[in-house]
Amino acid sequence: MKLLLKNIFQTITILLSLLSLTSLSNSFPLSTSSRWIIDENSGHRVKLACVNWAGHLHAMVPEGLEKKPLRQIAAFVASNGYNCVRLTWATYMFTRSNYSSLSVTQSLDHWNLVEAKEGMAKNNPWIMGLTLFEAQRAVVNELGAHKVMVVLDNHVSKPKWCCGGKDGNGFFGDEFFDPDEWLQGLSMVAELYKGIDTVVGMSMRNELRGERQNENDWYKYIQLGATTIHTANPDVLVIVSGLSFDTNLGFLKKKPLSLGSNLKSKLVYEAHWYSFGNPMDQWMLQTNGFCAKRTRWFMSGAGFLITGPNPAPLFLSEFGVDQRGVSERDNRYLSCLLGFLAERDLDWALWTLQGSYKLREGIVGMEENFGLVDANWDHLRNSTLQDKLQLVQQMTQDPNSKWPTNYVMFHPQSGRCAKLGSQGLYLSNCLQTTKWSYGGNGTPIRLTGTSRCLTTDGDGLPPILSDDCSSQRSLWESVSESKFHMAAQDGRGSYLCLDGSSSSSSAVLTKKCLCLDNDLKDVPSCGQNPQNQWFKLVPTNKQ
């Protein structure tokens, strides 16, 4: 009896400690204005730069707590520039007593996860006796203590790996996806996190898919889901996913989602963009054209929402690559996507934080090659990829800014930005950048605040800063179908492109344009990688 009372007292003490952390988290509800997410109180834009963290699999405990202390994981997320976590969860964890009543220890025992249990007892012993919800709440509170916002993503109903077209979790009415139970789960989670400032949004459902998917049911249940969340917790953003694995919201062009005015200011759409299924040969031999094709695909399916007379916020809630760097298709896709992300300054979430899983698809301890951390959660899996995210982690477009729009010269292949130094133009980190003004094709690229402009000085040489801004050598065009090449003439009628491929230095040179003919059109097939020459002039109105 004394031991029981002692355990109860320890649990109460832990929960009170967790609750006290909430006051340390972000202290604002978020809202929307036009295509932007904003602080509801100040009206200032808040950009989501997130990483996904899986908590929806069999054991229903966020991955990695068996590898490292929770505080260390939260500190790692914050120190690497992420201000947000998209934390995934399963409906059954809340709606079914045989799941919701489990402690962390009982859940690990149920799946015979002996090694994970030993690791969690070592790294986070205080979590072992908590219920699954209490453990989730502990994660949320620790993230909040590190000033990291949380978006709760309803990933599946039945806890398991996601996503397959016939996994029973895909669409309303599937084997494990009862719409009424789903609504019950949304309501419970929204209510449980009411008043918890760290939780700034709830995503209704991840990757709707499968043979049953249809637009009529989508409108019916998405409207019910949005209303359910907003009624239970009017502070959180309500995040809406589309069809076909979160790639298709195109049907909204003909029939917008109809919701009340109060909810409208809380509505954010989400989409995913991966290289899955893309033909390798098109990325390898038609890089410019295929990047343009995939960008048009994304704009048609979801990106259109940030344009037009009534734009809405769009959250790219999943993208990612094999971080071992072994897939050239992934590498080229990522450069294409990062250029787009930077130019549009979208809110986003990288897939994914976890470097391993307690249990996935029947495999204990499976490694996640898309994971930000390695399998032991010791280090970044690929520090180069993390460096590539520097610019997109920053806010470059501020709807309230009084500063004029200038441009940052971004090299997406390296993730670096072009700066002007004593030795000319060179690539460096994007934390402090040189800004330029540019009036569009056939105009000079001028150093902001001066009358001087970039001018070609010959093939294989760095561009110079010149006062002669009317010369053909100073008039730059965004060329190729990808619109990533920046080209100007060399004084003899031939075009040179900015090039960041120098192996001996970080210097930016001008060279013969790769994979383009003399008329600056893409050649049908090109064995070279033109992304060395990809530069995107990214608009910014930040000082």
Side-chain angles (χ1 to χ4, degrees):
M1 184 65 178
K2 288 182 179 179
L3 180 61
L4 177 61
L5 289 173
K6 181 180 178 182
N7 289 338
I8 292 172
F9 177 77
Q10 287 177 337
T11 299
I12 291 172
T13 302
I14 290 168
L15 290 176
L16 288 174
S17 175
L18 295 176
L19 287 170
S20 70
L21 289 175
T22 306
S23 62
L24 300 175
S25 66
N26 298 287
S27 59
F28 48 83
L30 300 184
S31 187
T32 68
S33 176
S34 183
R35 58 153 292 198
W36 309 109
I37 295 171
I38 62 170
D39 179 328
E40 188 172 286
N41 294 320
S42 70
H44 295 151
R45 185 187 171 198
V46 175
K47 179 176 178 176
L48 302 182
C50 313
V51 64
N52 282 272
W53 188 357
H56 66 277
L57 279 83
H58 306 281
M60 295 166 287
V61 181
E63 306 300 333
L65 298 181
E66 73 281 9
K67 299 287 187 178
K68 297 295 175 188
L70 172 56
R71 182 170 297 176
Q72 185 175 330
I73 296 174
F76 173 88
V77 170
S79 66
N80 279 282
Y82 299 94
N83 66 3
C84 163
V85 159
R86 180 177 181 252
L87 185 63
T88 67
W89 59 279
T91 301
Y92 288 7
M93 189 176 110
F94 295 90
T95 58
R96 301 201 174 187
S97 59
N98 56 326
Y99 290 90
S100 61
S101 63
L102 292 176
S103 69
V104 170
T105 296
Q106 289 169 332
S107 184
L108 296 174
D109 284 343
H110 176 78
W111 293 100
N112 196 29
L113 297 174
V114 176
E115 187 175 341
K117 181 179 176 181
E118 292 174 351
M120 202 168 299
K122 173 186 175 182
N123 289 290
N124 295 286
W126 56 275
I127 282 182
M128 301 297 290
L130 301 183
T131 66
L132 297 173
F133 164 66
E134 289 166 352
Q136 183 193 69
R137 175 67 177 274
V139 169
V140 168
N141 280 318
E142 189 61 43
L143 290 167
H146 287 81
K147 304 299 183 185
V148 176
M149 298 174 282
V150 172
V151 170
L152 294 171
D153 170 66
N154 180 231
H155 217 68
V156 290
S157 291
K158 182 179 181 179
K160 60 188 296 190
W161 175 248
C162 177
C163 298
K166 297 181 179 180
D167 61 5
N169 269 318
F171 199 70
F172 308 107
D174 279 0
E175 181 181 1
F176 308 120
F177 194 169
D178 176 77
D180 292 332
E181 185 175 14
W182 168 71
L183 292 170
Q184 179 191 0
L186 293 180
S187 179
M188 292 175 70
V189 172
E191 179 67 34
L192 285 166
Y193 283 100
K194 187 175 182 178
I196 308 302
D197 297 334
T198 300
V199 175
V200 297
M202 286 183 60
S203 175
M204 276 189 275
R205 187 68 171 205
N206 181 68
E207 295 195 352
L208 293 167
R209 61 197 179 276
E211 296 175 352
R212 299 176 62 91
Q213 65 177 334
N214 65 88
E215 293 175 17
N216 288 337
D217 281 343
W218 184 91
Y219 281 102
K220 175 183 176 180
Y221 290 115
I222 289 298
Q223 287 172 331
L224 286 171
T227 302
T228 296
I229 292 173
H230 189 66
T231 299
N233 188 340
D235 285 334
V236 295
L237 297 173
V238 178
I239 302 174
V240 178
S241 60
L243 299 174
S244 302
F245 296 87
D246 262 0
T247 65
N248 180 20
L249 285 160
F251 47 86
L252 292 172
K253 297 173 189 174
K254 59 184 179 182
K255 183 182 176 183
L257 189 59
S258 177
L259 295 166
S261 57
N262 290 337
L263 183 49
K264 186 177 180 182
S265 67
K266 292 290 185 179
L267 207 63
V268 175
Y269 293 93
E270 68 176 318
H272 295 174
W273 184 355
Y274 289 102
S275 68
F276 303 146
N278 294 175
M280 173 69 83
D281 61 332
Q282 292 195 46
W283 274 121
M284 297 297 292
L285 301 176
Q286 300 169 351
T287 307
N288 284 321
F290 197 62
C291 173
K293 181 178 180 179
R294 296 307 290 170
T295 301
R296 288 192 298 269
W297 162 81
F298 183 80
M299 286 300 296
S300 177
F304 70 92
L305 287 162
I306 65 171
T307 66
N310 297 298
L314 179 64
F315 178 34
L316 182 64
S317 57
E318 283 189 30
F319 71 95
V321 294
D322 185 329
Q323 294 202 27
R324 295 172 299 175
V326 297
S327 169
E328 185 59 26
R329 178 183 68 184
D330 272 1
N331 296 340
R332 298 198 185 192
Y333 139 83
L334 183 63
S335 295
C336 177
L337 181 143
L338 287 179
F340 175 84
L341 262 187
E343 183 180 33
R344 301 287 181 157
D345 201 19
L346 287 183
D347 302 273
W348 54 267
L350 175 73
W351 185 269
T352 185
L353 172 63
Q354 64 272 4
S356 61
Y357 297 92
K358 291 181 282 297
L359 175 64
R360 173 181 156 182
E361 298 173 288
I363 300 175
V364 173
M366 178 186 279
E367 186 168 358
E368 172 57 272
N369 293 324
F370 279 53
L372 193 63
V373 296
D374 61 22
N376 291 322
W377 293 64
D378 288 327
H379 308 288
L380 284 169
R381 183 179 296 272
N382 185 337
S383 60
T384 300
L385 184 138
Q386 182 60 30
D387 290 342
K388 289 182 180 182
L389 299 176
Q390 275 186 357
L391 182 61
V392 296
Q393 284 182 323
Q394 303 174 47
M395 184 195 306
T396 54
Q397 298 181 39
D398 180 356
N400 295 323
S401 175
K402 294 179 171 56
W403 295 94
T405 295
N406 290 300
Y407 294 87
V408 172
M409 196 177 294
F410 179 52
H411 186 248
Q413 185 187 50
S414 66
R416 296 187 289 174
C417 292
K419 292 185 183 178
L420 195 62
S422 59
Q423 301 300 313
L425 202 62
Y426 69 102
L427 292 175
S428 185
N429 68 63
C430 294
L431 299 179
Q432 292 183 334
T433 59
T434 299
K435 293 187 174 66
W436 310 87
S437 63
Y438 182 58
N441 276 352
T443 66
I445 299 175
R446 298 182 189 269
L447 180 64
T448 297
T450 76
S451 60
R452 310 192 78 193
C453 58
L454 279 184
T455 302
T456 62
D457 197 34
D459 192 359
L461 299 175
I464 60 173
L465 205 59
S466 165
D467 292 315
D468 183 7
C469 297
S470 60
S471 163
Q472 291 296 314
R473 294 165 51 224
S474 302
L475 303 181
W476 295 85
E477 299 182 44
S478 175
V479 298
S480 81
E481 194 175 354
S482 70
K483 300 302 179 187
F484 275 109
H485 291 264
M486 296 302 300
Q489 292 188 23
D490 62 359
R492 295 187 295 273
S494 297
Y495 280 90
L496 299 174
C497 284
L498 293 176
D499 189 295
S501 64
S502 175
S503 58
S504 58
S505 73
S506 59
V508 175
L509 308 177
T510 56
K511 293 184 179 181
K512 185 180 186 304
C513 299
L514 296 176
C515 302
L516 303 179
D517 61 23
N518 292 333
D519 295 322
L520 302 180
K521 304 294 184 184
D522 294 307
V523 298
S525 180
C526 180
Q528 297 171 294
N529 184 359
Q531 293 184 333
N532 297 331
Q533 296 184 340
W534 278 13
F535 286 84
K536 176 63 69 173
L537 287 175
V538 175
T540 179
N541 59 5
K542 297 285 286 183
Q543 188 177 13

